[in-house]
Amino acid sequence: MIALEQALTRLLDSAASTPILDHEQVTLADAKGRVLAEDIIASLDLPPWPNSAMDGYALRVADWNGEPLSVSQRIFAGQAPQPLQPGTCARIFTGAPVPAGADCVEMQENAELLDDGRVRFTQALSAQQNIRPQGQETRKGETVLQAGTRLSPVELGLAASLGVAQLRVVRRPRVAVLSTGDELVEPGLPLGPGQIYNSNRVLLCSWLQALECEVVDAGILVDDLQQTRAALARLSRVDLIVSTGGVSVGEADFLGQVLREEGELALWKLAIKPGKPLTFGHYQGTPVIGLPGNPASTLVTFALLARPYLLRRQGVAAVAPLQFQVPTGFAWSKAGKRREYLRGRLENGRAVPYANQSSGVLRSAAWAHGLIEVREDRTLAEGELVNFIPLSEVLG
Ligand code: AMP
Ligand code: MG
């Protein structure tokens, strides 16, 4: 058995040495989930000019001696103000430019509008209060987003705030999905004796779409050497082939045989549960990741190995999913040889596993909020801390 880290390192090294080099220019609206291929450098200060954080009055603190001030202009967001007339204040609204000569904004709640149109300030004033200074967020010339960043709605909003309309991103990875197994039938068709419905196909195809990959859905592959050869031969020009099933010990290993003939492969027994058997190889130069067929195993191995691999192929540096420590709501009395990734929920801040952790039970993951990591060789008392990887983090 090999440690998860060891397998991951091998995969990531391979991915880093075969980066996807094609780039394309896309609009912000088309950039979500894509990986930035260039640094984004601010071409302006943000904010571009000092502006008001409040609805209120702009004035110069030194002009105020406790007496009411007259209002010399009204400045709405989107307007260009006149310089402040000395000895007056300006009505100003949130987001409007602070006029030259003013050094403070007082909120309207602390101002009293008198019958004669002047304004009395009721609190002490200090310079710069309620002013968002020019460049407080970003200075022109700063690198705001780095190449290799995966673009979420937040990064897109940030790019937009700098006036960037288009981004250079890495081409979408083309990923072929193969479901192996004589027993598999597509949903919608009648189930014969000994058959089960193919859950991994849609699981992986839709997941890859959420990861902004271009999916080549290669359907079901029966357990047959000739057909395996033919199926792989049809899948040229993809960046990765992901197959499920056919990697369990003792089974006729058709995928492995074809890879041995026409490429190379490593067969790993990962020290994790679920998800022990994993194939990584190349077919005529195209990378192939063979995931175990039990759906919960497919889910865990795709999340922990194939997803980081695909991100690294696109140049993403931080490929590890966010995880955090939570106290367990259960005890773990028998130390295991393999690290377990229990499908579980957070209930009142505690991690609670689904009752049935069989690798064939996909309902465990549908019920779960994430993966509870129980390290190998250890027991847990209730309340001890474990790592928790939210499924929402890895599913997109
Ligand atoms: P295998 O690795 O081919 O021996 O498959 C392990 C287990 O996963 C078996 O019980 C298979 O029936 C099941 N399995 C394999 N592929 C799929 C699939 N695409 N959908 C649902 N179950 C599968
Ligand atoms: Mg099989």
Side-chain angles (χ1 to χ4, degrees):
M1 286 204 289
I2 72 167
L4 176 69
E5 289 82 2
Q6 206 182 332
L8 185 60
T9 301
R10 294 267 299 271
L11 281 167
L12 294 181
D13 286 349
S14 172
S17 66
T18 52
I20 296 175
L21 295 173
D22 310 330
H23 300 161
E24 58 185 324
Q25 192 88 3
V26 296
T27 64
L28 291 186
D30 290 327
K32 183 168 71 68
R34 306 293 295 275
V35 175
L36 198 56
E38 60 181 353
D39 288 348
I40 300 298
I41 294 163
S43 62
L44 71 167
D45 285 345
L46 263 192
W49 18 259
N51 70 93
S52 178
M54 293 282 178
D55 291 343
Y57 297 88
L59 67 152
R60 186 206 297 272
V61 177
D63 285 353
W64 181 62
N65 57 10
E67 289 301 307
L69 297 178
S70 61
V71 180
S72 54
Q73 63 178 317
R74 294 166 71 81
I75 313 164
F76 293 95
Q79 292 184 339
Q82 300 298 317
L84 186 70
Q85 265 180 41
T88 71
C89 64
R91 183 76 168 114
I92 195 165
F93 297 92
T94 305
V98 174
D103 62 4
C104 132
V105 169
E106 179 57 306
M107 61 170 112
Q108 61 195 21
E109 289 81 351
N110 293 339
E112 193 185 331
L113 185 57
L114 305 179
D115 289 341
D116 64 5
R118 292 183 306 155
V119 179
R120 182 198 304 283
F121 299 102
T122 57
Q123 311 282 320
L125 301 173
S126 57
Q128 299 312 318
Q129 72 178 39
N130 299 321
I131 294 179
R132 304 163 174 160
Q134 174 171 348
Q136 82 164 353
E137 176 174 349
T138 298
R139 288 275 175 206
K140 180 176 175 176
E142 262 186 78
T143 300
V144 175
L145 292 169
Q146 285 183 322
T149 300
R150 189 145 178 261
L151 298 163
S152 81
V154 175
E155 280 80 36
L156 300 182
L158 190 54
S161 74
L162 293 163
V164 175
Q166 301 213 324
L167 295 169
R168 270 185 92 65
V169 297
V170 179
R171 169 175 66 72
R172 284 192 169 86
R174 277 193 286 273
V175 183
V177 176
L178 263 175
S179 316
T180 78
D182 282 343
E183 73 279 29
L184 300 179
V185 173
E186 287 307 333
L189 298 174
L191 212 51
Q195 296 184 317
I196 60 168
Y197 287 119
N198 181 1
S199 30
N200 291 337
R201 179 185 187 179
V202 71
L203 171 72
L204 289 181
C205 288
S206 60
W207 196 347
L208 285 160
Q209 274 158 6
L211 291 170
E212 291 299 327
C213 293
E214 192 183 312
V215 179
V216 178
D217 179 359
I220 293 172
L221 172 61
V222 294
D223 296 316
D224 174 83
L225 187 59
Q226 297 309 326
Q227 303 244 26
T228 304
R229 273 204 196 99
L232 288 176
R234 278 195 297 273
L235 293 177
S236 58
R237 302 174 56 126
V238 294
D239 298 300
L240 174 68
I241 298 168
V242 180
S243 78
T244 61
V247 286
S248 309
V249 190
E251 187 168 354
D253 175 17
F254 303 110
L255 181 72
Q257 195 167 330
V258 176
L259 293 186
R260 262 180 234 110
E261 287 169 11
E262 308 205 40
E264 41 86 24
L265 93 159
L267 262 174
W268 293 327
K269 286 189 177 32
L270 302 177
I272 62 170
K273 189 178 175 185
K276 189 156 97 177
L278 195 105
T279 300
F280 177 56
H282 288 86
Y283 171 80
Q284 296 182 355
T286 302
V288 181
I289 296 180
L291 305 175
N294 276 309
S297 307
T298 303
L299 174 103
V300 167
T301 49
F302 188 90
L304 299 181
L305 295 155
R307 180 180 180 276
Y309 170 88
L310 277 166
L311 294 177
R312 185 57 56 83
R313 289 284 300 273
Q314 297 171 79
V316 177
V319 296
L322 172 83
Q323 45 188 290
F324 43 81
Q325 296 211 303
V326 291
T328 56
F330 62 97
W332 190 260
S333 55
K334 197 163 162 281
K337 284 267 163 285
R338 294 190 274 160
R339 191 178 306 169
E340 301 222 12
Y341 288 93
L342 308 174
R343 280 74 68 214
R345 273 191 180 179
L346 295 181
E347 284 179 354
N348 302 317
R350 299 198 156 213
V352 180
Y354 188 73
N356 187 337
Q357 292 289 328
S358 161
S359 58
V361 175
L362 193 55
R363 275 183 80 182
S364 60
W367 183 83
H369 299 143
L371 302 175
I372 306 168
E373 185 186 73
V374 179
R375 307 286 295 195
E376 56 277 26
D377 298 328
R378 70 168 294 182
T379 58
L380 290 169
E382 189 170 336
E384 280 194 78
L385 295 178
V386 286
N387 281 339
F388 189 85
I389 305 172
L391 278 179
S392 55
E393 170 74 8
V394 290
L395 284 174

